Amino acid sequence: MNRAVAAFRELQRRDRVFPFLQEAAPSPGLDTRHGPILYVEGISRSFDGFQALDDLTLYVDDGELRCIIGPNGAGKTTLMDVITGKTTPDSGHAWFGSRLNLLRMNEHAIAQAGIGRKFQKPTVFENLSVFENLELAMHADRGLRRSLFWRLDGEGRDRLDEVLALIGLEARRRTLAGSLSHGQKQWLEIGSLLMQNPRLLLVDEPVAGMTGQETEQTAELLVSLAGRHSVVVVEHDMEFVRSIARTVTVLHQGSVLAEGTMDQVQADPRVREVYLGEEET
Amino acid sequence: MAQARINRIAGLHGPAGWLLFLLAVAAVLVLMPVLNRVVSPESIFHVPNWMLTLTGRFLCLALVALALDLIWGYTGILSLGHGAFFALGGYVMGMHLTRNSYADGGVPNFIQFLGVSEWPWFWVPFQWFWFTALMILLVPGVLAFLFGFFAFRSRVRGVYFAIITQALTFGMMLLFFRTETGVGGDTGLTNFQTLLGFSVRDADTRLALYLVSALAVIGGYLACRYIVTSKLGRVLTAIRDAESRVRFTGYNPLRYKLFVWTLSAMLCGVAGALYVPQTGVINPGEMAPAQSIEMAVWVALGGRGTLVGALAGAGIVNGMKSYVTAVHPDLWLFFLGALFIIVTLFLPRGVVGLFQRVRGEGGRS
Ligand SMILES: Nc1ncnc2c1ncn2[C@@H]1O[C@H](COP(=O)(O)OP(=O)(O)O)[C@@H](O)[C@H]1O
Ligand SMILES: [Mg+2]
């Protein structure tokens, strides 16, 4: 992991530019001139009578780093499912920028438009090598013909090497992803997200199963992404949230309970009652 | 996990693999014809005509196995209906052969049974070879495309997909059994005379058919190999392992699945078309559900997701089948059943997997 730390220091250097982190891949059709990159308005969704999302409204500004916290079952993952097209809500609206209606788009179209997702349970392509996982995720035309005649060019190879270094898996580039440890899979999935280079990253519980040091690195990485990218992080680990968050949204029973800085949120008596109180017991 | 390592070692070649490939090509394209034509019939090395044609038929079946491995081994979609595509290619070729075997204006009995003395409209264009060649690809291709489109769009997967492919081939069989369908009913099409003006019984024509079959398998193998080693092939493997992740990465699995599915059906069509003139008959029995299951056994026995395994599996099972049905025709189905059980229980990675284990390369899964 020392190599990863070194790579990280490298990343923090101002004189050295990582173009793939500085600039998100272009996203045709995305219009953020009005400020927010993500509009979630009045979304409701129930599963067999259980209200997982209840009239939820949330805006994320372009370039923002947003943390979403909330007790188990608050609907955080379901919210990401709705944004990425995996779950259709019963009512409400979800827009990517002011022009792309997410509820009318398929999962793959949403991903192509520039929303990348890291799942709660790390999912990598187990029968492909680390290198191939990253190559598959690399931002490129996803058409059949392009894939059939795909050749990785020098620039792409450099980008791949950089991400490999960043996630500390250089030595394991030929290893099948299925034989990585849990933490390494987490990193590989984050690496894939970086290769995809989306405008908006949805990151579901990224530090689960990571060591303290790895958690720190992840925090640094997410902070460094903000600005050119917009990042929404769902996390349980309060320490982690405190270390990265500018704005925190607290979800409870499918809707927004409070929103503000970490201090504001923690001072909120309702939040203390439903979440922080629970956490301490 | 072990599966992937096989992909890399057995299916995909290093220099040694290419050498082996060239040797196999030379054996099929040069050695067999030489043993057939040049070596004197008295010699024990002589390959008689019947054996050449039998090998030609096996090559066609090997092409089917390749096609099935592409969709099952690499993409994880088990089809138990590939017999339908194979038979359709065969029927298209059979119609061309039948049409041109009655060049003097007559029509076969099964057409007369329909109460007409002229060729029905859909028979007419089959007098042209170019049209036939086109249909060999288009008929199985279009059917597969439509079937696949609706099935994949509804996200039908796994066992459910396998079952509806069985229903597909069964339904097709019932349709082709009917005399009213106009393609020979339960006897099918037979008594072929000429192909492109050459007598189909002629030894030279047989040799030519054999060679074309060999070229089809070699071409099919190279094409499949190119596909599975391309990024497209890696997307297919990714679909097999985690389809929803593929979606969230921005690939549309529907397109990828439809592409290999349709391609696979077309390869089967070509195989069927080359098979029929070498067998001399095509009937609805080729669409029986058991035929398609047998095809899956070839691939499973050889080893899924390796291409080479599919070729080997088709050869081994069909070799056994020729032998067993000659000695004891009734026993074949029991034999096949036993083979299926043995493979499932003891050879999950097929013959290729066995080789890997013997050579100590495969590792434990
Ligand atoms: N596909 C589904 N079917 C049924 N219930 C679901 C489904 N997805 C989520 N839920 C329910 O919705 C609630 C919210 O879940 P989730 O969004 O995963 O919470 P969180 O990620 O905040 O812990 C849970 O009670 C869960 O059981
Ligand atoms: Mg969750």
Side-chain angles (χ1 to χ4, degrees):
Chain A
M1 270 308 138
N2 279 333
R3 187 183 283 121
V5 175
F8 241 98
R9 299 278 166 263
E10 207 42 20
L11 186 73
Q12 304 296 312
R13 277 168 55 186
R14 290 275 166 255
D15 55 325
R16 178 98 162 73
V17 180
F18 284 80
F20 64 97
L21 289 184
Q22 298 289 311
E23 205 72 65
S27 171
L30 178 67
D31 180 0
T32 56
R33 279 173 300 177
H34 300 282
I37 193 169
L38 182 69
Y39 300 73
V40 175
E41 291 174 342
I43 294 276
S44 296
R45 168 74 208 217
S46 63
F47 294 106
D48 311 318
F50 175 79
Q51 201 71 31
L53 293 179
D54 187 8
D55 194 22
L56 187 145
T57 297
L58 177 81
Y59 302 96
V60 176
D61 279 333
D62 195 13
E64 187 180 348
L65 170 58
R66 173 72 62 96
C67 277
I68 297 181
I69 61 174
N72 254 328
K76 303 178 300 285
T77 301
T78 309
L79 171 63
M80 295 203 162
D81 287 347
V82 167
I83 296 169
T84 54
K86 190 178 178 204
T87 297
T88 324
D90 302 326
S91 61
H93 303 279
W95 292 76
F96 186 38
S98 53
R99 292 229 310 262
L100 298 173
N101 184 351
L102 293 172
L103 302 186
R104 294 241 173 115
M105 295 162 76
N106 295 329
E107 294 102 314
H108 62 89
I110 291 173
Q112 278 171 16
I115 299 186
R117 174 170 186 183
K118 196 209 145 299
F119 286 83
Q120 186 169 349
K121 177 175 171 288
T123 46
V124 293
F125 302 121
E126 309 233 324
N127 280 308
L128 295 180
S129 69
V130 167
F131 186 89
E132 290 167 335
N133 264 274
L134 294 176
E135 188 193 16
L136 215 63
M138 178 181 280
H139 178 81
D141 181 350
R142 257 70 161 127
L144 274 175
R145 201 173 319 147
R146 188 67 203 283
S147 297
L148 188 58
F149 301 112
W150 169 264
R151 286 279 172 273
L152 189 59
D153 56 16
E155 198 185 322
R157 196 170 288 279
D158 289 347
R159 218 170 99 189
L160 233 152
D161 287 337
E162 284 171 339
V163 170
L164 269 173
L166 186 62
I167 60 177
L169 291 175
E170 276 165 313
R172 316 210 59 178
R173 56 164 61 206
R174 302 259 161 253
T175 311
L176 289 187
S179 51
L180 296 178
S181 73
H182 185 84
Q184 287 173 323
K185 283 182 188 169
Q186 291 272 43
W187 275 107
L188 178 56
E189 202 180 353
I190 291 171
S192 298
L193 208 52
L194 294 177
M195 291 307 293
Q196 210 174 323
N197 204 8
R199 279 295 290 269
L200 172 63
L201 292 87
L202 306 176
V203 192
D204 203 348
E205 307 206 8
V207 297
M210 283 190 178
T211 63
Q213 194 188 27
E214 287 173 322
T215 302
E216 216 170 283
Q217 288 168 21
T218 309
E220 281 182 56
L221 175 62
L222 292 175
V223 169
S224 75
L225 285 172
R228 301 299 182 116
H229 305 68
S230 312
V231 187
V232 176
V233 187
V234 163
E235 196 39 77
H236 258 315
D237 185 332
M238 298 307 279
E239 203 65 31
F240 179 78
V241 172
R242 182 178 289 284
S243 69
I244 62 170
R246 318 277 151 77
T247 314
V248 179
T249 300
V250 185
L251 283 197
H252 179 55
Q253 292 179 354
S255 51
V256 176
L257 183 68
E259 203 165 277
T261 65
M262 192 67 182
D263 290 334
Q264 284 169 347
V265 162
Q266 276 184 322
D268 190 318
R270 289 170 309 167
V271 175
R272 299 184 79 96
E273 187 183 332
V274 307
Y275 187 74
L276 301 171
E278 190 180 90
E279 189 90 331
E280 274 151 23
T281 54
Chain B
M1 225 186 287
Q3 173 100 38
R5 214 164 291 150
I6 297 176
N7 287 352
R8 267 141 241 251
I9 297 166
L12 318 173
H13 291 153
W18 276 115
L19 188 68
L20 216 62
F21 170 75
L22 288 178
L23 286 177
V25 168
V28 172
L29 281 184
V30 181
L31 187 63
M32 280 294 280
V34 166
L35 294 181
N36 174 242
R37 285 306 172 89
V38 181
V39 175
S40 100
E42 283 81 47
S43 161
I44 52 159
F45 294 110
H46 176 71
V47 170
N49 287 343
W50 67 265
M51 196 186 271
L52 191 75
T53 297
L54 185 70
T55 313
R57 296 212 306 257
F58 282 9
L59 288 171
C60 296
L61 301 177
L63 184 56
V64 172
L66 277 181
L68 196 57
D69 197 24
L70 198 58
I71 191 76
W72 184 27
Y74 286 93
T75 322
I77 300 170
L78 171 58
S79 166
L80 294 176
H82 263 42
F85 305 126
F86 178 75
L88 280 175
Y91 264 102
V92 168
M93 184 57 116
M95 285 171 79
H96 175 67
L97 293 165
T98 306
R99 181 68 179 73
N100 290 349
S101 297
Y102 291 82
D104 50 2
V107 293
N109 287 341
F110 65 84
I111 299 278
Q112 289 171 13
F113 285 148
L114 296 176
V116 292
S117 53
E118 293 279 299
W119 290 101
W121 61 269
F122 63 90
W123 273 84
V124 174
F126 284 99
Q127 60 186 297
W128 300 303
F129 183 77
W130 66 265
F131 180 83
T132 306
L134 203 62
M135 287 300 127
I136 287 169
L137 294 173
L138 282 188
V139 173
V142 169
L143 176 72
F145 184 86
L146 291 175
F147 180 87
F149 179 78
F150 289 109
F152 298 143
R153 200 188 50 165
S154 326
R155 301 194 181 172
V156 179
R157 248 173 297 186
V159 185
Y160 301 99
F161 185 83
I163 290 171
I164 60 168
T165 55
Q166 278 268 282
L168 171 76
T169 190
F170 188 64
M172 297 285 293
M173 181 181 76
L174 295 183
L175 178 71
F176 278 69
F177 258 130
R178 289 160 49 97
T179 316
E180 293 83 353
T181 309
V183 285
D186 56 359
T187 36
L189 306 172
T190 186
N191 283 327
F192 309 131
Q193 305 297 330
T194 61
L195 174 58
L196 292 169
F198 301 101
S199 163
V200 289
R201 292 195 184 77
D202 202 54
D204 288 340
T205 317
R206 303 232 138 191
L207 180 61
L209 280 167
Y210 165 85
L211 287 173
V212 174
S213 306
L215 288 175
V217 178
I218 294 165
Y221 173 76
L222 290 175
C224 289
R225 202 189 109 85
Y226 183 82
I227 289 173
V228 302
T229 49
S230 72
K231 190 175 114 177
L232 193 149
R234 293 193 285 281
V235 175
L236 298 180
T237 307
I239 288 174
R240 184 186 72 194
D241 294 341
E243 183 169 344
S244 78
R245 186 84 187 93
V246 174
R247 280 202 190 91
F248 293 114
T249 312
Y251 295 91
N252 183 358
L254 176 65
R255 291 201 173 193
Y256 283 77
K257 287 165 141 185
L258 258 186
F259 169 73
V260 276
W261 172 250
T262 307
L263 179 72
S264 176
M266 287 167 134
L267 288 174
C268 278
V270 171
L274 291 169
Y275 185 80
V276 164
Q278 300 187 76
T279 325
V281 59
I282 173 74
N283 61 40
E286 292 292 341
M287 295 175 174
Q291 294 287 342
S292 297
I293 294 177
E294 203 174 311
M295 291 169 176
V297 176
W298 305 341
V299 179
L301 179 89
R304 271 173 293 157
T306 61
L307 295 184
V308 178
L311 295 174
I316 294 169
V317 178
N318 286 296
M320 283 187 195
K321 184 179 184 177
S322 296
Y323 180 74
V324 175
T325 48
V327 180
H328 249 298
D330 302 336
L331 286 185
W332 172 242
L333 275 184
F334 293 101
F335 202 82
L336 186 67
L339 207 57
F340 192 75
I341 293 169
I342 291 170
V343 170
T344 316
L345 290 184
F346 302 112
L347 286 179
R349 289 149 60 202
V351 172
V352 170
L354 196 66
F355 265 96
Q356 306 285 292
R357 210 176 320 166
V358 169
R359 288 169 56 186
E361 287 175 5
R364 299 260 170 254
S365 46

